[in-house]
Amino acid sequence: QIGYCPQFDGLLEQLTGRETLVLFCRLRGIKENDMERHIQDISKLLFFEMHLNKLVMNYSGGTKRKLSTAVALLGNPSVSFLDEPTTGVDPVARRCLWDALTKKLNEGRSIVLTSHSMEECEALCNRLIIMVNGRICCIGSPQQLKNKFGKGYTVRIKVRTGLTDSNQNLSEGERRHSKIAWRNNSIISNDIVLDTNIKDVKDFMEKSFIGCELKEIHYNLLNYYLNDTDLTWAHIFGAIERAKNTLNIEDYSVGQTTLEQIFLTFASKQKEDIKL
């Protein structure tokens, strides 16, 4: 048996979720006596049993994707083809779908999944294919692709904010009367400390790792990409560890190039081919 979940929900909106599953149970040749068990199992697995008796037209986008996935997995097919099953799904529903698919994989089922989310691919897949312009560019496990096509390292640094309780030396009455002013002063002071710490880290990274690229910064988190393939793990960890206290670094991590970066590298080749 083969299960299929299209990218766009192919559901009959005038039916309820239960009626939809009954329809596909019959199409799959599941016995009448076993239908309710299959429906309950798959709806509980995907956490939408409370919506079974509602019309599909009243489903949210995430619940429709759950129902489409349920149709694909109904009857425990040996192979299921899922075309971007988590598109438009909120994070909670996405995690629910991931858990359900992982359970099916652990039961020995095969799933062919298409996705633009490298996080999803890394969480679910033990073998990946990246395609550009309809041609297979690479195939292998996530770690194999990282080892072969990954270049450089990613460094994530969390800088101390320097927050202090300026109120600790004030009496209760002084705190109450100076509450707004204290908050304003504290915010200004903390921003100055944080900006100074971030600037120091930026200067350190630029001097220590020539050509490093600051990919993004969120409040006190800085994400860097080091494209120097001659660098070693020991050199990176050693340099940051020695400067950790001086730079007020609260935490940091070093990792390989992500699948997302590898995917974007191949995607850029697609753009080059289009220009040609």
Side-chain angles (χ1 to χ4, degrees):
Q1 287 186 340
I2 294 178
Y4 174 59
C5 172
Q7 183 177 1
F8 302 103
D9 301 307
L11 303 171
L12 299 174
E13 297 202 337
Q14 290 72 28
L15 299 180
T16 64
R18 184 182 299 278
E19 289 169 343
T20 300
L21 294 176
V22 167
L23 171 63
F24 281 94
C25 277
R26 287 173 175 162
L27 290 174
R28 287 191 177 279
I30 297 174
K31 296 179 180 179
E32 292 285 336
N33 294 336
D34 295 331
M35 283 186 188
E36 186 60 27
R37 176 175 58 83
H38 280 279
I39 291 172
Q40 289 298 323
D41 288 347
I42 197 66
S43 61
K44 287 180 180 178
L45 180 66
L46 294 169
F47 294 98
F48 72 99
E49 66 269 22
M50 69 290 294
H51 301 298
L52 279 176
N53 296 319
K54 298 178 183 177
L55 290 175
V56 173
M57 68 173 65
N58 296 325
Y59 279 13
S60 65
T63 305
K64 286 182 179 179
R65 294 309 289 163
K66 287 182 181 181
L67 181 58
S68 294
T69 305
V71 169
L73 300 177
L74 199 61
N76 293 319
S78 55
V79 181
S80 297
F81 293 89
L82 309 180
D83 191 355
E84 301 195 27
T86 59
T87 299
V89 174
D90 64 83
V92 175
R94 182 182 298 114
R95 177 60 62 179
C96 167
L97 281 168
W98 287 4
D99 291 341
L101 296 179
T102 300
K103 183 175 180 180
K104 288 298 180 181
L105 289 170
N106 292 336
E107 292 175 356
R109 309 296 174 183
S110 296
I111 296 176
V112 179
L113 173 77
T114 62
S115 177
H116 285 90
S117 169
M118 293 300 102
E119 180 188 9
E120 182 169 83
C121 292
E122 193 156 12
L124 296 176
C125 302
N126 51 30
R127 196 165 179 80
L128 294 175
I129 294 176
I130 295 180
M131 299 183 69
V132 176
N133 293 331
R135 292 177 295 180
I136 295 177
C137 293
C138 60
I139 182 171
S141 69
Q143 190 58 50
Q144 286 175 328
L145 297 187
K146 287 181 181 180
N147 292 340
K148 185 171 183 179
F149 299 102
K151 296 180 180 179
Y153 305 86
T154 58
V155 178
R156 179 179 177 274
I157 298 175
K158 183 178 182 181
V159 181
R160 296 186 190 279
T161 58
L163 296 175
T164 58
D165 187 1
S166 302
N167 256 0
Q168 60 185 355
N169 295 323
L170 298 178
S171 67
E172 189 63 33
E174 289 173 325
R175 292 184 189 184
R176 187 165 53 251
H177 288 97
S178 64
K179 191 172 184 180
I180 296 177
W182 173 77
R183 283 183 176 176
N184 291 336
N185 290 335
S186 177
I187 291 171
I188 294 172
S189 175
N190 291 333
D191 283 346
I192 292 174
V193 171
L194 179 59
D195 288 345
T196 302
N197 289 343
I198 289 176
K199 183 180 182 302
D200 290 343
V201 170
K202 287 181 178 179
D203 292 341
F204 164 77
M205 292 296 291
E206 290 172 2
K207 292 177 182 178
S208 301
F209 307 104
I210 305 300
C212 69
E213 181 181 353
L214 179 60
K215 301 297 291 185
E216 56 184 352
I217 178 170
H218 297 291
Y219 189 50
N220 65 331
L221 292 175
L222 296 87
N223 290 321
Y224 278 92
Y225 171 58
L226 312 183
N227 58 7
D228 187 351
T229 55
D230 293 329
L231 288 172
T232 63
W233 293 91
H235 176 76
I236 299 171
F237 273 107
I240 299 177
E241 191 64 29
R242 286 190 295 270
K244 181 179 178 180
N245 293 330
T246 305
L247 297 174
N248 288 319
I249 294 176
E250 182 177 336
D251 190 18
Y252 70 93
S253 63
V254 182
Q256 286 182 299
T257 303
T258 63
L259 283 176
E260 184 76 24
Q261 290 167 324
I262 295 173
F263 176 76
L264 291 175
T265 299
F266 283 106
S268 65
K269 293 181 180 179
Q270 182 180 24
K271 293 179 181 178
E272 292 173 1
D273 291 343
I274 292 174
K275 290 180 181 179
L276 293 175

